[in-house]
Amino acid sequence: MESVESVANLRSQFHEVLRSRRTPIVPTLRALQTLSAEPVVKPLYQGIPVDFEAMRSYPKARINVKEQLNEENFYLPTEEGEQGRLPVLILSMKDCTQSKRPAVVFVHPTNANKEWLRPSLEDYALRGYIAIAIDSRYHGERAKTPTAYQDALVAAWKIGDTMPFIYDTVWDLLKLADYLTTRDDIDHSRIGITGNSLGGMHAWFAAFVDTRYAVVVPVIAVQGFRWAIDNDQWHARVYSIKPVFEEARIDLGKEAIDKEVVEKVWNRIAPGLASEFDSPYTVPVIAPRPLLIINGQDDPRCPIEGIDVTISKTQKAFEDAQCLNHFKVIIEPGIGHDVTSSMLKDASDWLDKFLKP
């Protein structure tokens, strides 16, 4: 297991990267003052809406759910500027005997939004959780057009003053943790985080840098960015956000996107993603907090071979912490980049195991 000092240094380095491209930071007191918002009736999607199999398995409408749940919609300031206003949706049971409840933060995949997660929020809230969802950068209420996210990625390459791929939303999740740990109705020692695809990457990095996220379940998210470059397995991940790589190809005078283009883009828009902050270094330091990694065996965006070292190093970290039962990896056979009902059940069981009293 990494020494306490080396883990602290790695987190400090990542935090410095997060701070390096911030607009002026919102003062702490103001950051905890939420701004009321109205429920979103027609949420905006980026590009083609995601269509994971598992989300279709939820009931289309639950009977009397509005009578059973409280709904909160608000904005949380995380930094100055338009993107520094974090939209938050929270659902919780109206009649609950617990004065302090466990909470779970859900983070949506690329092209979706917090409203897309409402079935999950309702499911967990009805089981006694305080269920929270946010819009990640340039998604949902933080987007004005269906191409806002892709446009932001291109701008990050061209200008280099933002980090819309993973990092900027991780900053928001740190500020969300600041807020959640001020609430009297949440048990601050029982805050979990989970997400699918891009949302799972957000969960992984937020938990790496912030120990207030006590239980972690990244779904179809953990991957080896360096491994993908070195082994020519970067195509599926890159083509999921192809416009920024195509723009870089042109700027670099290349006839086609190649590994040099890929590495330069990652270094520009997410510094350290394919080096010191890659999964072999950041995932193991989540130990000893309970961590469940769920991937599909045939997922081209998260090749299983690319996380062999990550899994090995993480297992060693949990062994050294004498809590190997806090770490589990589920690789679902025959599944590509999709979220299945069994994945959602596994995630739910893991969160219940460690967050429910």
Side-chain angles (χ1 to χ4, degrees), residues 273-286:
L273 183 64
S275 51
E276 64 264 36
F277 304 132
D278 201 357
S279 63
Y281 311 106
T282 52
V283 173
V285 303
I286 293 174

Side-chain angles (χ1 to χ4, degrees), residues 131-153:
I132 304 122
I134 66 166
D135 284 329
S136 63
R137 297 283 176 124
Y138 303 97
H139 285 76
E141 292 187 78
R142 304 170 98 174
K144 292 182 179 179
T145 70
T147 62
Y149 179 53
Q150 298 287 359
D151 295 343
L153 294 171

